[in-house]
Amino acid sequence: MERQIQALQELLSLEVASKKRAIITWIEPDGEWEVETLQQLLGDSVQVRELNEQSILQLKREVERESRHASFVLYTSRAVDSSVLDALHSVIGCGTIFKSDDVSVLASKWNTDEMSLRRLKMSYPKFFNAARRVSNLEKILKQTPGIISEIHLLAVLTNSTPDIKAILQALLQKWHNHDYAVLIDIEKMEFTHSLITGIKDYLAVEHLTEDFMDSVTDIIITSAFLHEGGLLTPSLVPLKSHKINQLADLHHQMLEDKSMQLVWLSATKKWAERYQIHDDLRAYALKELLRFQTFVVVDEVLLERIRQDILQTEFPESLEHWRAALEQRELVESVYYTKQIRNQYSYLLVYLELRNLLNEILHILPIEPSSLQDLYENYVQVEYKIDQLYRHLSISVEGLDDEVFLESYESIQHSYEQNYLLTRAAQAVRLVDQVRDSSNIPVQTSFYEKYVQVPRLMTKAKQYVIISDALRYEAGVELAERLQSNVRASVTCQAMQASIPTFTKLDMASLLPQSGKMTFQNNIVYIGGKPTSGLQDREKVLQQESTAIAYNLADFMRLRVSERNIVVRGKEVVYLYHNIIDALGDKAVTEHKAFAATTDAIFEIETAVRALIAMEAKRIVVTADHGYLFLSEKATTYTHAIADRVEAVEGNNRFLLYTETSNPSIEYGATQVPQEHTPLSKMKVILADGLNRFRRGNGTKFMHGGITAQERITPVIVVEAAGSGNKQVAVSLLDSNRLITTRNPKFVFYQTDVIQPGIQERLVRISLQQNKQRVSNVVRCIFDAKKRSELEYRIELKLFELDYPLQSEVQLIIESPDGNGNWLPYQSYSYFINILPHR
């Protein structure tokens, strides 16, 4: 106590010396001093007065008027009401505080206003009872110094920043994840009133319902609905805010937050049901519906209309006028975040494309090609797309349970299998005797020399070869397109004819150096007397031509980068074997996964190519041993050939292999191919006609061995990283006037070049920011013009409902994705605001 009096006397002396008088406020809750005792200890040079609610006016009169030159100590030993503290600020010269309690020490330590801290501690004592909360409050004040308020305390409770928007976002996240603990704490500590007041001010609404978090959610979603073009119905009037643009952006941010997407979409769905939005949208015109970007209910209405069209008219024609709408809806946010809707749109678009292409091909299908080579070249140029689309359609239909869509799939499945595949397969068998010497499609036994040996000798670069079992041509084209878009390299895709019969043992051998005759003995293919049955045998054959290694791709990818470099060090040729399609398709229990496995193979190989390029690989070739056919259970055609399988030395459901001394009995439904069609010397090859199979039952839907284009034509993808590779189009801003004069500013962008080989499209998102905070909506745009007359793009943004000081600066931010789900800065431009303040 003596220390307190000494410190107070020192402060009095300093104040008098510098200001001629001292006016000191000493608030000491739970203090033990009496005013009379203090007066005696301090002497006649200072007037000690008691500070309380009743004395504030008298003190003001005495300090300001009656004793204008006297020094005063205004003392209270009790907690003072906030109204007294507010009134105290008006007393002239009372700004000097004598700090002798915990609040004073904390205010000094935190560099914040003591009066505000004292008021908060008195108003919310339960908050300050926990040392952990006080510690977190200190951290927040150090990061954002200034006058302390309820916002700082709420930030501690919600584990967010001291900003009402951040606090609201944190509460919404917890509320919709059924975490109510924070709201319970807020109520216990009597923050509810302050919180609701702050939220109402941020939302720009006058009222919130008793369940205010539900009310807040509805107001935010309603703002986004109105922002995107929705009509203000009577039921939505109570939810209308004066900050529609700002709250619409908050709605978008909730959707972009991966931890909130599902729950916020669920909240949006409940909102739509609660306010019967579905019924209202039924009256909207198509053009009005297409404005919406984040409402699944809009897509449900659109799909409803499409189903009605399908039921009322012939299916393909009824959908043609929907094509543009479907293509647009595939890109919107609500579809991107909703797998079920996305699958339905994807299915419809693929269906349309496949149906149209099938109709074109079926029209000319009866005109038989002049040779087997012509059939294959037709496939490589156009018809491979049918198999590619059918694969995608078959995958997308698996996630659908809509009877209308399932019936449409069964219809196109019948056309694909019974009309297209069956016809082309029968033609291939009929043309097998017509051997043509010249072809634009090389044979598989020329692979090593053409794609490995010659490039190695010419460039001296290490040659990487990835061989994916059963990666048929259509999948290779898709892989090449993905690599063209996503890998900085030159990518080409060519076709190759697999050796007949198209089965793994023979075709894997055909991809090796052909250093001698190819023979078949004891279920093993030999080249020049060397076996080729596994990695070690194939590696030995490769090493006859160069320093080489054969490796399993899956094992190679499991290695660390440093270990991969050790594996390939000093090697001229690296063969990497990949097996996922054939591994699943050739087993009865998993053959139904063949299409999905093909898609997985594409992504796995793309990943491997990226890894090899990261290892500074200059040239990578991707190919396959053979392709495959996949028939549904409805394709019930089977061979009626009765062949002597006992004498066959190899075979599957599409071919049988015999020695030259055998004499297989064939009644009908199968064909013996001429010897010149197979590289196996002294062997007879029997192929099932058309789509026939040599056996029934499980494991006969996935098949290869025959000579259809699907089974025989394989891809050869050459990736050369040494070149400049692909680049995305550049985008520039044409506006020269860096001034924004409206709340809906428009910007003109220019795509610097047209899309062409080597130059690909660019996706960007555009927004306005101020002090690194978004102050407008976000617009996504794909710059993909293929004509010079279409290179200009006009983008409109909507500023939030804020008061922007004249000549304040904002930045137009353009971002581009990096391929890993992250948006990176691409360009930015500064603008000055010159619009009247918002009222």
Side-chain angles (χ1 to χ4, degrees):
M1 293 180 71
E2 291 182 1
R3 183 187 58 80
Q4 287 182 329
I5 298 300
Q6 182 179 356
L8 180 59
Q9 288 175 331
E10 290 175 357
L11 180 59
L12 281 167
S13 299
L14 288 172
E15 287 291 297
V16 171
S18 61
K19 301 177 183 177
K20 307 301 181 184
R21 69 185 300 206
I23 302 175
I24 296 175
T25 303
W26 183 6
I27 301 174
E28 187 186 29
D30 303 322
E32 300 178 2
W33 292 104
E34 296 290 341
V35 171
E36 294 78 7
T37 304
L38 281 175
Q39 186 68 73
Q40 291 175 2
L41 290 171
L42 296 174
D44 296 336
S45 61
V46 63
Q47 304 296 316
V48 180
R49 298 289 184 267
E50 184 176 2
L51 174 65
N52 56 44
E53 292 86 344
Q54 293 75 31
S55 67
I56 190 67
L57 291 178
Q58 174 59 37
L59 290 174
K60 182 176 175 66
R61 184 184 306 112
E62 188 175 2
V63 170
E64 294 181 357
R65 297 181 184 179
E66 296 174 357
S67 303
R68 296 176 61 184
H69 302 290
S71 294
F72 287 87
V73 171
L74 310 180
Y75 174 78
T76 178
S77 60
R78 296 177 297 168
V80 180
D81 186 82
S82 59
S83 61
V84 175
L85 296 175
D86 292 339
L88 192 62
H89 282 293
S90 66
V91 178
I92 294 175
C94 71
T96 303
I97 306 296
F98 179 57
K99 301 176 180 180
S100 64
D101 61 353
D102 293 340
V103 174
S104 303
V105 172
L106 284 178
S108 178
K109 180 181 178 182
W110 295 349
N111 194 26
T112 190
D113 179 65
E114 181 186 343
M115 293 298 185
S116 300
L117 177 58
R118 197 175 294 280
R119 177 182 63 80
L120 290 173
K121 192 169 183 181
M122 287 188 296
S123 300
Y124 309 105
K126 293 179 181 178
F127 176 92
F128 290 91
N129 287 341
R132 178 180 55 82
R133 287 196 292 266
V134 173
S135 176
N136 291 337
L137 178 60
E138 180 178 355
K139 293 177 183 177
I140 287 178
L141 285 168
K142 285 182 178 179
Q143 294 170 356
T144 56
I147 297 176
I148 191 171
S149 67
E150 281 87 347
I151 292 295
H152 293 85
L153 276 58
L154 287 168
V156 172
L157 293 174
T158 56
N159 192 28
S160 62
T161 57
D163 173 80
I164 189 62
K165 178 185 175 183
I167 291 169
L168 179 57
Q169 283 181 282
L171 289 174
L172 285 168
Q173 188 170 27
K174 293 178 182 299
W175 175 261
H176 288 289
N177 282 299
H178 307 292
D179 180 1
Y180 308 121
V182 171
L183 283 166
I184 292 172
D185 286 345
I186 287 174
E187 185 175 356
K188 284 181 179 178
M189 297 181 195
E190 301 178 350
F191 280 105
T192 306
H193 176 73
S194 296
L195 175 64
I196 292 177
T197 300
I199 289 176
K200 283 165 61 177
D201 183 61
Y202 175 76
L203 297 177
V205 295
E206 295 182 3
H207 303 289
L208 294 175
T209 62
E210 185 175 344
D211 298 326
F212 74 94
M213 289 305 299
D214 283 332
S215 182
V216 166
T217 302
D218 288 350
I219 289 167
I220 294 170
I221 296 173
T222 299
S223 296
F225 181 72
L226 298 176
H227 172 84
E228 294 179 19
L231 297 178
L232 185 64
T233 60
S235 62
L236 296 180
V237 169
L239 303 173
K240 186 177 183 301
S241 165
H242 299 302
K243 296 182 179 179
I244 288 177
N245 294 344
Q246 190 170 336
L247 298 186
D249 183 69
L250 178 56
H251 168 77
H252 287 121
Q253 289 182 44
M254 300 299 281
L255 285 176
E256 289 175 347
D257 184 346
K258 292 181 180 179
S259 65
M260 278 296 293
Q261 281 171 8
L262 292 178
V263 293
W264 194 255
L265 284 169
S266 175
T268 305
K269 183 177 181 179
K270 291 176 183 177
W271 167 87
E273 293 171 352
R274 188 156 49 247
Y275 298 101
Q276 300 179 329
I277 302 300
H278 195 283
D279 296 337
D280 295 333
L281 290 174
R282 286 195 178 100
Y284 282 42
L286 177 60
K287 183 177 180 181
E288 294 171 327
L289 290 174
L290 295 180
R291 295 175 185 168
F292 290 89
Q293 297 292 307
T294 60
F295 287 85
V296 176
V297 64
V298 170
D299 300 290
E300 291 172 349
V301 170
L302 286 171
L303 287 166
E304 206 175 77
R305 292 185 185 179
I306 292 173
R307 289 188 192 92
Q308 291 172 357
D309 278 0
I310 293 171
L311 293 172
Q312 292 170 5
T313 58
E314 189 177 350
F315 189 80
E317 288 72 19
S318 71
L319 284 184
E320 278 304 321
H321 70 281
W322 283 101
R323 182 184 292 275
L326 290 169
E327 290 173 346
Q328 188 255 33
R329 293 310 294 177
E330 254 203 329
L331 299 174
V332 303
E333 288 182 78
S334 57
V335 176
Y336 179 78
Y337 297 135
T338 311
K339 184 178 180 181
Q340 183 180 9
I341 299 293
R342 186 170 69 249
N343 285 349
Q344 291 182 65
Y345 282 143
S346 176
Y347 171 84
L348 290 168
L349 281 168
V350 174
Y351 180 93
L352 271 179
E353 191 174 356
L354 177 56
R355 173 61 76 182
N356 290 338
L357 183 56
L358 262 178
N359 286 344
E360 292 177 14
I361 300 301
L362 291 176
H363 182 69
I364 63 172
L365 206 59
I367 306 173
E368 191 162 293
S370 60
S371 69
L372 188 59
Q373 302 304 322
D374 286 338
L375 184 148
Y376 290 157
E377 287 173 10
N378 289 339
Y379 182 80
V380 170
Q381 292 170 11
V382 178
E383 293 180 21
Y384 77 89
K385 192 71 177 177
I386 293 176
D387 292 303
Q388 191 180 85
L389 291 169
Y390 182 74
R391 172 169 58 86
H392 284 293
L393 193 73
S394 300
I395 291 173
S396 63
V397 79
E398 290 180 1
L400 303 180
D401 57 1
D402 190 289
E403 290 185 8
V404 175
F405 293 162
L406 293 177
E407 288 177 8
S408 69
Y409 176 73
E410 290 178 1
S411 170
I412 206 167
Q413 185 182 62
H414 182 273
S415 295
Y416 170 74
E417 293 180 342
Q418 300 297 330
N419 297 330
Y420 170 69
L421 279 185
L422 186 59
T423 301
R424 282 295 191 227
Q427 290 173 345
V429 172
R430 287 197 295 269
L431 295 168
V432 74
D433 290 328
Q434 302 178 25
V435 179
R436 194 174 79 177
D437 294 333
S438 61
S439 173
N440 293 326
I441 307 175
V443 294
Q444 198 170 46
T445 49
S446 69
F447 171 80
Y448 184 84
E449 181 182 1
K450 180 180 178 66
Y451 293 104
V452 182
Q453 183 75 340
V454 171
R456 182 181 70 81
L457 295 174
M458 290 178 63
T459 65
K460 306 299 182 182
K462 194 189 304 291
Q463 303 294 306
Y464 290 90
V465 177
I466 298 175
I467 302 174
S468 184
D469 202 328
L471 184 77
R472 60 185 185 177
Y473 181 74
E474 59 88 3
V477 173
E478 183 175 325
L479 170 61
E481 290 171 349
R482 287 189 58 84
L483 292 171
Q484 191 80 42
S485 298
N486 300 328
V487 176
R488 296 291 184 184
S490 172
V491 182
T492 60
C493 183
Q494 303 167 38
M496 185 169 62
Q497 299 180 68
S499 296
I500 296 175
T502 50
F503 74 111
T504 299
K505 293 177 184 178
L506 173 60
D507 295 330
M508 286 295 185
S510 298
L511 294 168
L512 296 170
Q514 302 301 301
S515 54
K517 285 186 178 181
M518 194 178 293
T519 57
F520 189 83
Q521 300 174 12
N522 301 320
N523 291 324
I524 296 174
V525 176
Y526 290 81
I527 298 177
K530 304 284 185 184
T532 64
S533 60
L535 284 178
Q536 291 183 350
D537 287 343
R538 294 170 193 168
E539 185 174 272
K540 290 176 182 177
V541 175
L542 288 167
Q543 288 174 345
Q544 293 180 107
E545 301 293 330
S546 63
T547 55
I549 186 172
Y551 220 87
N552 184 288
L553 181 63
D555 294 338
F556 185 78
M557 292 300 292
R558 279 191 284 267
L559 297 175
R560 289 191 287 267
V561 174
S562 59
E563 293 172 329
R564 293 177 199 163
N565 286 321
I566 293 172
V567 166
V568 303
R569 185 177 298 161
K571 302 298 187 291
E572 295 173 307
V573 175
V574 179
Y575 265 47
L576 300 169
Y577 289 91
H578 177 247
N579 187 11
I580 177 174
I581 303 171
D582 207 50
L584 292 173
D586 252 353
K587 294 185 177 118
V589 293
T590 56
E591 65 177 352
H592 64 282
K593 298 180 180 180
F595 284 154
T598 302
T599 302
D600 291 341
I602 290 170
F603 284 99
E604 287 184 11
I605 298 170
E606 180 186 352
T607 301
V609 170
R610 286 174 179 268
L612 292 175
I613 290 177
M615 293 169 57
E616 300 184 356
K618 301 301 182 186
R619 193 169 186 274
I620 307 161
V621 181
V622 181
T623 190
D625 52 348
H626 56 75
Y628 67 87
L629 277 170
F630 188 88
L631 301 177
S632 69
E633 294 176 357
K634 296 182 182 298
T636 54
T637 54
Y638 293 91
T639 183
H640 297 286
I642 306 300
D644 190 354
R645 296 179 64 95
V646 176
E647 293 187 17
V649 296
E650 181 66 84
N652 62 18
N653 54 4
R654 288 288 284 169
F655 81 97
L656 295 173
L657 195 63
Y658 297 85
T659 62
E660 63 177 346
T661 58
S662 299
N663 188 24
S665 58
I666 303 173
E667 294 184 3
Y668 52 85
T671 299
Q672 180 175 332
V673 301
Q675 176 64 43
E676 56 263 36
H677 273 299
T678 178
L680 289 173
S681 60
K682 301 180 180 182
M683 300 299 293
K684 293 179 180 179
V685 179
I686 308 296
L687 300 181
D689 288 350
L691 298 181
N692 292 341
R693 285 158 277 189
F694 281 117
R695 64 184 180 87
R696 298 172 182 267
N698 293 333
T700 58
K701 289 186 285 187
F702 177 92
M703 56 191 186
H704 58 85
I707 56 172
T708 65
Q710 290 78 7
E711 296 167 279
R712 193 180 184 196
I713 302 302
T714 59
V716 179
I717 304 164
V718 179
V719 182
E720 293 181 304
S724 59
N726 278 353
K727 65 177 181 179
Q728 293 179 311
V729 295
V731 176
S732 61
L733 183 69
L734 287 184
D735 295 1
S736 58
N737 180 17
R738 296 288 192 266
L739 198 64
I740 294 177
T741 59
T742 173
R743 290 189 175 274
N744 298 321
K746 298 177 178 63
F747 304 90
V748 181
F749 293 90
Y750 183 76
Q751 180 181 314
T752 57
D753 208 343
V754 295
I755 302 298
Q756 55 187 302
I759 301 178
Q760 64 190 45
E761 65 189 24
R762 181 184 291 276
L763 170 66
V764 302
R765 70 177 187 182
I766 304 166
S767 65
L768 287 167
Q769 295 185 13
Q770 190 173 61
N771 300 324
K772 297 184 179 181
Q773 297 293 320
R774 194 185 295 167
V775 293
S776 79
N777 62 320
V778 178
V779 173
R780 288 180 175 83
C781 181
I782 299 178
F783 289 86
D784 58 356
K786 297 179 176 63
K787 299 178 182 177
R788 293 205 170 273
S789 58
E790 301 172 350
L791 294 177
E792 280 193 12
Y793 292 75
R794 296 183 181 273
I795 306 296
E796 179 180 341
L797 297 176
K798 295 182 179 180
L799 281 166
F800 293 167
E801 302 86 343
L802 301 172
D803 288 335
Y804 302 95
L806 295 180
Q807 293 301 306
S808 61
E809 191 174 11
V810 294
Q811 284 73 44
L812 181 68
I813 303 296
I814 307 169
E815 299 167 291
S816 188
D818 64 355
N820 297 315
N822 303 311
W823 289 91
L824 302 178
Y826 174 61
Q827 292 177 356
S828 66
Y829 301 89
S830 295
Y831 278 80
F832 289 99
I833 299 285
N834 194 24
I835 56 179
L836 294 175
H838 178 73
R839 291 291 182 266

